[in-house]
PDB file of all heavy atoms in Angstrom:
ATOM      1  N   TRP A 246     -64.115  41.656 -25.206  1.00  0.00           N
ATOM      2  CA  TRP A 246     -64.062  41.118 -23.850  1.00  0.00           C
ATOM      3  C   TRP A 246     -63.535  39.690 -23.937  1.00  0.00           C
ATOM      4  O   TRP A 246     -64.263  38.779 -24.333  1.00  0.00           O
ATOM      5  CB  TRP A 246     -65.443  41.124 -23.192  1.00  0.00           C
ATOM      6  CG  TRP A 246     -65.927  42.486 -22.784  1.00  0.00           C
ATOM      7  CD1 TRP A 246     -65.348  43.695 -23.044  1.00  0.00           C
ATOM      8  CD2 TRP A 246     -67.109  42.771 -22.033  1.00  0.00           C
ATOM      9  NE1 TRP A 246     -66.092  44.713 -22.512  1.00  0.00           N
ATOM     10  CE2 TRP A 246     -67.176  44.178 -21.889  1.00  0.00           C
ATOM     11  CE3 TRP A 246     -68.119  41.990 -21.494  1.00  0.00           C
ATOM     12  CZ2 TRP A 246     -68.225  44.800 -21.208  1.00  0.00           C
ATOM     13  CZ3 TRP A 246     -69.162  42.604 -20.813  1.00  0.00           C
ATOM     14  CH2 TRP A 246     -69.207  44.004 -20.666  1.00  0.00           C
ATOM     15  N   VAL A 247     -62.278  39.497 -23.565  1.00  0.00           N
ATOM     16  CA  VAL A 247     -61.642  38.179 -23.632  1.00  0.00           C
ATOM     17  C   VAL A 247     -61.591  37.596 -22.224  1.00  0.00           C
ATOM     18  O   VAL A 247     -61.064  38.223 -21.304  1.00  0.00           O
ATOM     19  CB  VAL A 247     -60.217  38.291 -24.218  1.00  0.00           C
ATOM     20  CG1 VAL A 247     -59.547  36.924 -24.241  1.00  0.00           C
ATOM     21  CG2 VAL A 247     -60.266  38.888 -25.625  1.00  0.00           C
ATOM     22  N   PHE A 248     -62.124  36.391 -22.080  1.00  0.00           N
ATOM     23  CA  PHE A 248     -62.206  35.748 -20.767  1.00  0.00           C
ATOM     24  C   PHE A 248     -61.136  34.669 -20.643  1.00  0.00           C
ATOM     25  O   PHE A 248     -61.079  33.747 -21.459  1.00  0.00           O
ATOM     26  CB  PHE A 248     -63.587  35.117 -20.570  1.00  0.00           C
ATOM     27  CG  PHE A 248     -64.719  36.117 -20.600  1.00  0.00           C
ATOM     28  CD1 PHE A 248     -65.479  36.297 -21.742  1.00  0.00           C
ATOM     29  CD2 PHE A 248     -65.012  36.876 -19.481  1.00  0.00           C
ATOM     30  CE1 PHE A 248     -66.522  37.210 -21.772  1.00  0.00           C
ATOM     31  CE2 PHE A 248     -66.051  37.795 -19.492  1.00  0.00           C
ATOM     32  CZ  PHE A 248     -66.806  37.967 -20.644  1.00  0.00           C
ATOM     33  N   VAL A 249     -60.301  34.786 -19.612  1.00  0.00           N
ATOM     34  CA  VAL A 249     -59.250  33.804 -19.373  1.00  0.00           C
ATOM     35  C   VAL A 249     -59.485  33.180 -17.997  1.00  0.00           C
ATOM     36  O   VAL A 249     -59.262  33.816 -16.973  1.00  0.00           O
ATOM     37  CB  VAL A 249     -57.852  34.437 -19.438  1.00  0.00           C
ATOM     38  CG1 VAL A 249     -56.786  33.382 -19.150  1.00  0.00           C
ATOM     39  CG2 VAL A 249     -57.610  35.066 -20.807  1.00  0.00           C
ATOM     40  N   LYS A 250     -59.973  31.945 -18.004  1.00  0.00           N
ATOM     41  CA  LYS A 250     -60.233  31.207 -16.761  1.00  0.00           C
ATOM     42  C   LYS A 250     -59.184  30.117 -16.625  1.00  0.00           C
ATOM     43  O   LYS A 250     -59.058  29.241 -17.487  1.00  0.00           O
ATOM     44  CB  LYS A 250     -61.631  30.575 -16.780  1.00  0.00           C
ATOM     45  CG  LYS A 250     -61.948  29.744 -15.548  1.00  0.00           C
ATOM     46  CD  LYS A 250     -63.240  28.969 -15.706  1.00  0.00           C
ATOM     47  CE  LYS A 250     -63.102  27.796 -16.659  1.00  0.00           C
ATOM     48  NZ  LYS A 250     -62.294  26.685 -16.081  1.00  0.00           N
ATOM     49  N   VAL A 251     -58.424  30.155 -15.544  1.00  0.00           N
ATOM     50  CA  VAL A 251     -57.421  29.118 -15.291  1.00  0.00           C
ATOM     51  C   VAL A 251     -57.770  28.420 -13.984  1.00  0.00           C
ATOM     52  O   VAL A 251     -58.620  28.878 -13.221  1.00  0.00           O
ATOM     53  CB  VAL A 251     -56.001  29.708 -15.244  1.00  0.00           C
ATOM     54  CG1 VAL A 251     -55.666  30.385 -16.561  1.00  0.00           C
ATOM     55  CG2 VAL A 251     -55.846  30.687 -14.094  1.00  0.00           C
ATOM     56  N   HIS A 252     -57.131  27.268 -13.735  1.00  0.00           N
ATOM     57  CA  HIS A 252     -57.453  26.532 -12.518  1.00  0.00           C
ATOM     58  C   HIS A 252     -56.184  26.079 -11.805  1.00  0.00           C
ATOM     59  O   HIS A 252     -55.104  26.004 -12.398  1.00  0.00           O
ATOM     60  CB  HIS A 252     -58.350  25.323 -12.818  1.00  0.00           C
ATOM     61  CG  HIS A 252     -57.687  24.250 -13.629  1.00  0.00           C
ATOM     62  ND1 HIS A 252     -57.753  24.211 -15.004  1.00  0.00           N
ATOM     63  CD2 HIS A 252     -56.943  23.179 -13.270  1.00  0.00           C
ATOM     64  CE1 HIS A 252     -57.089  23.172 -15.453  1.00  0.00           C
ATOM     65  NE2 HIS A 252     -56.578  22.520 -14.419  1.00  0.00           N
ATOM     66  N   THR A 253     -56.356  25.796 -10.537  1.00  0.00           N
ATOM     67  CA  THR A 253     -55.243  25.347  -9.705  1.00  0.00           C
ATOM     68  C   THR A 253     -55.779  24.466  -8.586  1.00  0.00           C
ATOM     69  O   THR A 253     -57.003  24.345  -8.405  1.00  0.00           O
ATOM     70  CB  THR A 253     -54.488  26.552  -9.110  1.00  0.00           C
ATOM     71  OG1 THR A 253     -53.293  26.107  -8.472  1.00  0.00           O
ATOM     72  CG2 THR A 253     -55.344  27.305  -8.096  1.00  0.00           C
ATOM     73  N   HIS A 254     -54.873  23.823  -7.861  1.00  0.00           N
ATOM     74  CA  HIS A 254     -55.194  23.111  -6.628  1.00  0.00           C
ATOM     75  C   HIS A 254     -54.368  23.780  -5.526  1.00  0.00           C
ATOM     76  O   HIS A 254     -53.282  23.337  -5.166  1.00  0.00           O
ATOM     77  CB  HIS A 254     -54.862  21.624  -6.745  1.00  0.00           C
ATOM     78  CG  HIS A 254     -55.793  20.867  -7.637  1.00  0.00           C
ATOM     79  ND1 HIS A 254     -55.745  20.949  -9.016  1.00  0.00           N
ATOM     80  CD2 HIS A 254     -56.817  20.015  -7.345  1.00  0.00           C
ATOM     81  CE1 HIS A 254     -56.681  20.170  -9.532  1.00  0.00           C
ATOM     82  NE2 HIS A 254     -57.356  19.605  -8.544  1.00  0.00           N
ATOM     83  N   GLY A 255     -54.908  24.866  -5.003  1.00  0.00           N
ATOM     84  CA  GLY A 255     -54.127  25.772  -4.172  1.00  0.00           C
ATOM     85  C   GLY A 255     -53.771  25.273  -2.800  1.00  0.00           C
ATOM     86  O   GLY A 255     -52.895  25.841  -2.152  1.00  0.00           O
ATOM     87  N   CYS A 256     -54.427  24.207  -2.309  1.00  0.00           N
ATOM     88  CA  CYS A 256     -54.124  23.717  -0.967  1.00  0.00           C
ATOM     89  C   CYS A 256     -53.044  22.646  -0.954  1.00  0.00           C
ATOM     90  O   CYS A 256     -52.805  22.036   0.087  1.00  0.00           O
ATOM     91  CB  CYS A 256     -55.396  23.195  -0.294  1.00  0.00           C
ATOM     92  SG  CYS A 256     -56.046  24.336   0.950  1.00  0.00           S
ATOM     93  N   GLN A 257     -52.415  22.417  -2.079  1.00  0.00           N
ATOM     94  CA  GLN A 257     -51.267  21.512  -2.106  1.00  0.00           C
ATOM     95  C   GLN A 257     -49.998  22.347  -1.957  1.00  0.00           C
ATOM     96  O   GLN A 257     -49.780  23.296  -2.715  1.00  0.00           O
ATOM     97  CB  GLN A 257     -51.252  20.725  -3.412  1.00  0.00           C
ATOM     98  CG  GLN A 257     -52.476  19.834  -3.597  1.00  0.00           C
ATOM     99  CD  GLN A 257     -52.486  19.099  -4.917  1.00  0.00           C
ATOM    100  OE1 GLN A 257     -51.435  18.879  -5.519  1.00  0.00           O
ATOM    101  NE2 GLN A 257     -53.667  18.711  -5.368  1.00  0.00           N
ATOM    102  N   GLU A 258     -49.169  22.009  -0.995  1.00  0.00           N
ATOM    103  CA  GLU A 258     -48.002  22.822  -0.685  1.00  0.00           C
ATOM    104  C   GLU A 258     -47.114  23.067  -1.900  1.00  0.00           C
ATOM    105  O   GLU A 258     -46.530  24.143  -2.037  1.00  0.00           O
ATOM    106  CB  GLU A 258     -47.182  22.161   0.427  1.00  0.00           C
ATOM    107  CG  GLU A 258     -47.819  22.236   1.807  1.00  0.00           C
ATOM    108  CD  GLU A 258     -48.810  21.120   2.079  1.00  0.00           C
ATOM    109  OE1 GLU A 258     -49.132  20.346   1.131  1.00  0.00           O
ATOM    110  OE2 GLU A 258     -49.278  21.012   3.223  1.00  0.00           O
ATOM    111  N   ARG A 259     -47.022  22.092  -2.777  1.00  0.00           N
ATOM    112  CA  ARG A 259     -46.180  22.252  -3.969  1.00  0.00           C
ATOM    113  C   ARG A 259     -46.693  23.344  -4.895  1.00  0.00           C
ATOM    114  O   ARG A 259     -45.962  23.811  -5.774  1.00  0.00           O
ATOM    115  CB  ARG A 259     -46.100  20.925  -4.726  1.00  0.00           C
ATOM    116  CG  ARG A 259     -47.458  20.422  -5.238  1.00  0.00           C
ATOM    117  CD  ARG A 259     -47.353  19.031  -5.816  1.00  0.00           C
ATOM    118  NE  ARG A 259     -48.675  18.511  -6.177  1.00  0.00           N
ATOM    119  CZ  ARG A 259     -48.891  17.278  -6.640  1.00  0.00           C
ATOM    120  NH1 ARG A 259     -47.858  16.448  -6.781  1.00  0.00           N
ATOM    121  NH2 ARG A 259     -50.106  16.873  -6.932  1.00  0.00           N
ATOM    122  N   ASN A 260     -47.949  23.750  -4.714  1.00  0.00           N
ATOM    123  CA  ASN A 260     -48.542  24.787  -5.563  1.00  0.00           C
ATOM    124  C   ASN A 260     -48.603  26.153  -4.888  1.00  0.00           C
ATOM    125  O   ASN A 260     -49.123  27.106  -5.476  1.00  0.00           O
ATOM    126  CB  ASN A 260     -49.951  24.371  -6.000  1.00  0.00           C
ATOM    127  CG  ASN A 260     -49.946  23.097  -6.825  1.00  0.00           C
ATOM    128  OD1 ASN A 260     -48.926  22.740  -7.419  1.00  0.00           O
ATOM    129  ND2 ASN A 260     -51.072  22.408  -6.871  1.00  0.00           N
ATOM    130  N   PHE A 261     -48.085  26.261  -3.690  1.00  0.00           N
ATOM    131  CA  PHE A 261     -48.102  27.553  -3.003  1.00  0.00           C
ATOM    132  C   PHE A 261     -47.343  28.611  -3.804  1.00  0.00           C
ATOM    133  O   PHE A 261     -47.696  29.790  -3.783  1.00  0.00           O
ATOM    134  CB  PHE A 261     -47.487  27.435  -1.611  1.00  0.00           C
ATOM    135  CG  PHE A 261     -48.393  26.798  -0.583  1.00  0.00           C
ATOM    136  CD1 PHE A 261     -47.937  26.600   0.718  1.00  0.00           C
ATOM    137  CD2 PHE A 261     -49.680  26.405  -0.893  1.00  0.00           C
ATOM    138  CE1 PHE A 261     -48.752  26.028   1.688  1.00  0.00           C
ATOM    139  CE2 PHE A 261     -50.507  25.826   0.054  1.00  0.00           C
ATOM    140  CZ  PHE A 261     -50.039  25.635   1.346  1.00  0.00           C
ATOM    141  N   THR A 262     -46.305  28.204  -4.525  1.00  0.00           N
ATOM    142  CA  THR A 262     -45.527  29.188  -5.293  1.00  0.00           C
ATOM    143  C   THR A 262     -46.363  29.884  -6.354  1.00  0.00           C
ATOM    144  O   THR A 262     -46.137  31.057  -6.648  1.00  0.00           O
ATOM    145  CB  THR A 262     -44.291  28.521  -5.944  1.00  0.00           C
ATOM    146  OG1 THR A 262     -43.521  29.527  -6.610  1.00  0.00           O
ATOM    147  CG2 THR A 262     -44.693  27.451  -6.959  1.00  0.00           C
TER     148      THR A 262
END
Side-chain angles (χ1 to χ4, degrees):
W246 287 7
V247 178
F248 298 100
V249 179
K250 178 189 73 72
V251 300
H252 67 268
T253 189
H254 288 75
C256 256
Q257 298 178 24
E258 287 85 352
R259 62 187 174 184
N260 298 338
F261 283 178
T262 183

